[in-house]
Amino acid sequence: MGDYHGEHPDSSTCWDHTVDQRIGLIADGLSSNDDIRKKLPGLRTLLNQYLSPEVTVEAPDFQKRLLRVFRDSEYDFAYQECLEKLTEDEKERVEKFVGDDKPLKEVSHDFDMCLSIGVREHLQHLVGAGCVQVSSAGVQVQTLGASSAAVNGAAPAEVDVKGLSGRGALDWLKDKDGIFHAFLHKLKDLFTGHHEDHRVVVYKDAVFENWGKVVEYVPQYTCIPNSVAGVQRIVKYAKDHDMGVRCAGFRHSWAPIFGRSGQITISLLSLAEATKIPNFTALSKALPEWLLHKTELQTIEVLSGTPRVKGNTLVRVGVSTTNEQLRRWCVSNNKYTYPLNVIMVEMTVGGTNGPICHGAGRRNKTLSDLVRKVEYVDCHGKLQTVDDARLLHAAAGSFGLMGVITHLTLEFEPMTYALMKPEKIPVVRAIPLPADLRDEDIPPALRVAGLTAADRAADLARFERLATDSYYSEWFWFPYSDKCWVNCWDTTTDGTGAVDYPSDTQTFLMFLSQFAMNVLQNAAVLDELIASLQLTEAAVTLISKAAMLVLPAWDQPVKTYLPDALHFQRGIQNVRVLDVEVEIPLQPAAPAVKEGGKLTAAIDYKVVQRAWWDAILACYRHSDTCPQRMPLEMRVMGGSDMIMAPQRGNELGTCAIEVLTLEAAGDLWVPYAEEILASWLSYTDAAGKSLRTRPHWAKQWDGITVDGKPWANRMKNVDYKDARVEFKALLAEIGKKHGWTLADLKKRFSNDFFDDFYFEDI
């Protein structure tokens, strides 16, 4: 634990004040300060009533009244600014609930969450870029964007052209932008002789920005194909003109795994919900009607064939298929299901496969481990497949380097049903203190009086059982909260009484909570509250309390479909965060032995407990600035057979632990994250050897320093030193069969990071 036991800023109140006690301090401060009370109308009354034993303030009412504070404030406009980013339907529902006091059940009826604000912003970038549609029928101008309109005097009307010359419709483009003209001409030629249904929409110089706003570049062309043939034509053009190609979906990553300026980005984004976004009338000019429906790249079909496990089913899925589409398909047929997934539904199947994403539960590996066949367009524009189990260890988690993956065949299991029973438990009882940490070392606000040795032993045994045996195991702690949200459950094959979860009402309440979080992080008046009360944790206290109130806790289990339980939290993509996650190998309690080729041993969770509490104590050390404003999350999961998976080799399982913060705390984040990482990367096994702790590929590691050097250096030269060689060898073996080389991959599908990480010797 180092020298950090018990450290906290002198100005901190969260060290020895519980959440409710700090809420009381805020209410008292508002009572004694007329100026700030007027700027936050109704907040004092809400907090006092919440604390009163004679008044019950339920979670929906707390959210409503908290939002009403900012809606009615004459000095802060965060509520109005956040409201303007919503769709008309979302605005109307929020206003009816917050402003008109309509019942939650009424305003949430048939609520269907739209694309996230981040995706809407991305689509607006496309509106401002030149856009044409290319097919064997020719080139159709959709819009020429703001820049092209300025060049030509006005945006031209929509024009159908059999070619790029002859009728003169695009003669001006040849003069003004000969390169774009030539690109369209060549791409159109590649479509000649093919079915008109194969189409590609092309945007020129559309800004690319990832969801986390840490990667930005301007590809020369952003292409959205509707078919495998379209992907092939794009790659063939890239080959003929020595250009690079990278793919992107919903862009939910913080890592430098996207494309680069001046090259081609293929967007595999699903736009089926785009008609709901603000300013869709303008957007529709840049989006052909066909793009708003499912395409060949969004198919879901059951295949014949032999799965590895008897009773399972092979399902072929297009890479543009979203988790939400796949979830609904599984629930609708009620026969097959993926056994694991990420929480977020606004991600494509290809987007979760490329960087080897994961779920939870020690019996579950990564999503890439479910892959039984990869269909991809190679560097020559040829459609290829990989289904050899050994070669899939590279192909099924290849970061887009092998080519443009179009379809994945996954092994699904028979539908089962989760018995969800989330709980809110005192932090020290949810994940007990490691043996070398005393009560005196942690905040008094987190201590539980009267805990006996027997209580502590029982708490530890319960934690170890949940972590070891639960089908799904996950823990959340919001900054400076007294309690931990524990989401551990098992499954049953009996679907009797299964319900859809979350309901419309629960989904809308989640959406409302995320809207409130955005309001709170953008409300400048809260800075005045902090200054006037000299309570640095005031805003984070309100954020954490509001978030914890919305999370469910049930006395009896709720039975729901497995995919519903895996995606239990909807709309989390609406709150933009920064996120650092590592995968820590679980350790044996005694020397492990192999039985039947499988490692078996009791698990020693001391390192897991230390990682959890090191992060909590770091949060308290920095309570004067509160760089962490979102939860500490931890999942226990299995290992992986994927060569480049951070979980590979973790035969007893993996502790996937992460810290998050809101976008508003970005300036404080990196030094804070580096401090926590220094602890997480310092752990050793029983022999004193450093554990092989590695970052999640899709999370934030770029721009972060460990051991005085960029984290990427450690990943390349320590963490994946041998795996990089093995990975490239398998790719080369695939290439030998399919007619390409590693040099071809570097030229066609790499980027600046991968050039250095994999191809520095090529």
Side-chain angles (χ1 to χ4, degrees):
M1 295 286 184
D3 300 322
Y4 299 123
H5 290 183
E7 287 190 9
H8 63 282
D10 293 337
S11 60
S12 172
T13 57
C14 63
W15 183 258
D16 50 13
H17 288 72
T18 66
V19 173
D20 286 354
Q21 288 170 341
R22 293 197 308 276
I23 287 176
L25 292 177
I26 296 172
D28 291 345
L30 289 167
S31 296
S32 60
N33 189 319
D34 291 340
D35 182 58
I36 195 67
R37 186 171 68 253
K38 290 177 182 177
K39 293 181 178 180
L40 292 165
L43 182 59
R44 180 187 62 170
T45 301
L46 168 60
L47 299 184
N48 279 331
Q49 288 185 353
Y50 163 76
L51 293 172
S52 172
E54 299 176 359
V55 180
T56 300
V57 181
E58 301 290 351
D61 197 40
F62 189 92
Q63 297 288 336
K64 174 195 297 185
R65 294 174 61 184
L66 184 61
L67 283 169
R68 192 176 291 164
V69 168
F70 297 94
R71 180 183 184 274
D72 295 346
S73 175
E74 297 178 0
Y75 300 87
D76 191 278
F77 305 100
Y79 177 91
Q80 288 75 15
E81 290 167 358
C82 291
L83 195 70
E84 285 306 306
K85 296 180 180 180
L86 305 183
T87 68
E88 291 303 318
D89 178 68
E90 291 166 347
K91 285 182 191 177
E92 183 179 354
R93 292 175 188 270
V94 170
E95 279 289 85
K96 281 184 176 180
F97 183 65
V98 177
D100 299 341
D101 213 21
K102 296 292 185 182
L104 180 62
K105 187 174 182 179
E106 177 183 325
V107 298
S108 62
H109 180 67
D110 286 338
F111 178 67
D112 191 7
M113 204 171 294
C114 181
L115 295 172
S116 70
I117 292 171
V119 173
R120 300 173 201 178
E121 292 171 352
H122 172 59
L123 295 178
Q124 296 304 325
H125 284 312
L126 300 183
V127 172
C131 169
V132 298
Q133 175 179 283
V134 182
S135 70
S136 61
V139 176
Q140 182 184 61
V141 180
Q142 296 295 133
T143 180
L144 291 175
S147 58
S148 298
V151 170
N152 204 35
E158 187 172 296
V159 178
D160 287 302
V161 188
K162 289 297 181 185
L164 290 175
S165 60
R167 290 174 56 184
L170 295 179
D171 283 352
W172 70 272
L173 180 59
K174 186 173 183 179
D175 295 334
K176 298 296 183 181
D177 195 340
I179 295 175
F180 191 31
H181 181 278
F183 169 76
L184 296 173
H185 185 36
K186 293 291 185 182
L187 189 60
K188 183 262 179 185
D189 286 347
L190 289 171
F191 274 86
T192 300
H194 293 275
H195 199 283
E196 288 188 25
D197 286 346
H198 299 313
R199 307 164 185 167
V200 174
V201 173
V202 181
Y203 298 89
K204 183 179 184 296
D205 296 333
V207 175
F208 177 96
E209 185 177 50
N210 71 327
W211 181 77
K213 288 191 170 183
V214 294
V215 176
E216 182 177 320
Y217 65 97
V218 182
Q220 189 163 0
Y221 308 117
T222 298
C223 301
I224 308 181
N226 75 334
S227 65
V228 174
V231 173
Q232 291 178 273
R233 301 310 174 272
I234 296 166
V235 175
K236 285 180 178 178
Y237 176 89
K239 177 189 176 184
D240 292 344
H241 295 81
D242 198 27
M243 296 185 76
V245 177
R246 293 287 295 170
C247 295
F250 284 101
R251 304 161 298 113
H252 287 302
S253 173
W254 294 260
I257 59 177
F258 300 103
R260 44 187 161 195
S261 293
Q263 302 300 308
I264 297 174
T265 290
I266 294 180
S267 175
L268 298 172
L269 183 67
S270 171
L271 300 180
E273 295 297 311
T275 53
K276 298 181 182 178
I277 75 170
N279 303 318
F280 176 72
T281 301
L283 180 60
S284 63
K285 297 176 182 178
L287 296 175
E289 194 273 340
W290 62 263
L291 204 56
L292 306 177
H293 303 282
K294 288 185 178 180
T295 70
E296 183 185 356
L297 300 174
Q298 292 174 279
T299 55
I300 307 173
E301 57 182 318
V302 175
L303 301 179
S304 59
T306 305
R308 295 182 189 174
V309 177
K310 186 177 181 180
N312 285 355
T313 302
L314 299 179
V315 179
R316 181 175 180 261
V317 184
V319 293
S320 290
T321 304
T322 67
N323 279 346
E324 176 61 8
Q325 290 168 336
L326 198 55
R327 180 194 69 81
R328 292 187 183 195
W329 181 86
C330 290
V331 171
S332 176
N333 69 55
N334 196 23
K335 294 179 181 178
Y336 328 104
T337 181
Y338 40 88
L340 68 131
N341 212 323
V342 299
I343 298 173
M344 194 178 291
V345 294
E346 191 184 79
M347 297 188 80
T348 62
V349 169
T352 55
N353 166 263
I356 318 176
C357 295
H358 67 84
R362 207 167 65 89
R363 73 192 69 186
N364 294 314
K365 297 181 179 180
T366 72
L367 284 163
S368 296
D369 287 279
L370 301 178
V371 175
R372 301 296 175 256
K373 179 189 286 188
V374 172
E375 300 170 45
Y376 75 102
V377 175
D378 72 9
C379 52
H380 305 301
K382 296 180 180 179
L383 185 62
Q384 308 276 16
T385 63
V386 179
D387 58 7
D388 178 272
R390 183 177 59 86
L391 297 179
L392 282 172
H393 292 164
S398 59
F399 312 101
L401 292 173
M402 192 173 68
V404 180
I405 296 176
T406 64
H407 292 82
L408 297 168
T409 297
L410 308 174
E411 184 163 335
F412 279 25
E413 297 180 356
M415 176 62 75
T416 54
Y417 307 88
L419 299 172
M420 293 184 68
K421 189 178 178 297
E423 304 171 282
K424 297 176 183 178
I425 299 174
V427 184
V428 293
R429 305 202 71 175
I431 300 182
L433 302 177
D436 60 348
L437 194 63
R438 304 163 300 168
D439 274 1
E440 292 76 12
D441 298 321
I442 68 170
L446 299 183
R447 300 171 195 168
V448 175
L451 275 185
T452 65
D455 292 333
R456 296 176 192 273
D459 291 342
L460 180 59
R462 181 178 187 273
F463 163 67
E464 291 177 342
R465 175 179 56 79
L466 291 175
T468 302
D469 299 330
S470 295
Y471 184 94
Y472 188 96
S473 49
E474 177 175 50
W475 294 260
F476 278 58
W477 177 77
F478 281 85
Y480 317 122
S481 295
D482 317 330
K483 293 186 176 182
C484 171
W485 190 67
V486 181
N487 184 31
C488 298
W489 42 264
D490 289 305
T491 59
T492 177
T493 58
D494 178 11
T496 306
V499 298
D500 287 324
Y501 180 83
S503 65
D504 289 350
T505 299
Q506 292 162 327
T507 300
F508 182 72
L509 186 57
M510 293 174 187
F511 169 81
L512 201 71
S513 172
Q514 293 139 14
F515 177 72
M517 207 166 291
N518 282 327
V519 171
L520 290 170
Q521 74 163 319
N522 288 289
V525 70
L526 288 183
D527 294 331
E528 295 184 47
L529 176 69
I530 290 169
S532 66
L533 303 185
Q534 296 184 336
L535 185 64
T536 56
E537 315 93 319
V540 177
T541 295
L542 293 175
I543 290 171
S544 292
K545 172 51 69 175
M548 279 293 284
L549 279 174
V550 171
L551 288 172
W554 302 321
D555 294 331
Q556 297 296 324
V558 170
K559 184 187 294 185
T560 188
Y561 303 90
L562 178 61
D564 283 351
L566 296 175
H567 303 297
F568 66 91
Q569 187 76 350
R570 305 291 165 78
I572 53 176
Q573 65 271 12
N574 286 315
V575 180
R576 190 176 268 119
V577 298
L578 298 171
D579 186 352
V580 173
E581 176 181 332
V582 299
E583 319 300 321
I584 304 174
L586 299 183
Q587 297 300 295
V593 296
K594 283 207 170 186
E595 296 179 358
K598 186 176 181 181
L599 197 69
T600 60
I603 298 172
D604 185 347
Y605 283 98
K606 291 187 181 69
V607 167
V608 176
Q609 295 167 265
R610 284 192 58 192
W612 178 261
W613 281 97
D614 277 354
I616 289 178
L617 291 177
C619 191
Y620 279 91
R621 285 198 299 275
H622 293 275
S623 57
D624 55 339
T625 56
C626 301
Q628 183 177 339
R629 301 177 188 180
M630 287 292 279
L632 163 68
E633 299 181 22
M634 187 176 78
R635 298 174 184 86
V636 172
M637 60 168 296
S640 176
D641 296 323
M642 298 298 106
I643 293 173
M644 295 306 301
Q647 300 88 353
R648 190 188 188 208
N650 299 351
E651 295 188 65
L652 293 178
T654 304
C655 168
I657 188 167
E658 60 190 312
V659 285
L660 301 91
T661 198
L662 293 169
E663 182 183 15
D667 292 343
L668 305 168
W669 179 242
V670 170
Y672 174 77
E674 289 175 343
E675 182 178 315
I676 292 176
L677 285 169
S679 295
W680 285 351
L681 297 175
S682 70
Y683 306 146
T684 60
D685 63 16
K689 183 180 178 181
S690 294
L691 296 182
R692 190 171 54 185
T693 298
R694 300 185 281 195
H696 188 312
W697 277 105
K699 302 294 176 70
Q700 195 177 5
W701 43 264
D702 187 46
I704 290 180
T705 298
V706 297
D707 302 326
K709 297 178 181 178
W711 199 354
N713 285 13
R714 172 179 169 135
M715 293 164 63
K716 177 181 178 180
N717 299 311
V718 179
D719 296 336
Y720 294 101
K721 182 179 179 180
D722 296 329
R724 290 189 308 117
V725 176
E726 186 180 356
F727 178 71
K728 289 197 293 183
L730 279 192
L731 285 185
E733 187 176 339
I734 296 170
K736 188 174 182 180
K737 292 183 176 183
H738 292 172
W740 48 259
T741 66
L742 294 182
D744 293 328
L745 299 189
K746 180 179 182 180
K747 182 179 292 186
R748 196 69 55 238
F749 300 119
S750 186
N751 67 10
D752 293 343
F753 169 74
F754 290 124
D755 278 356
D756 176 71
F757 194 82
Y758 288 115
F759 302 122
E760 79 284 359
D761 57 345
I762 296 174

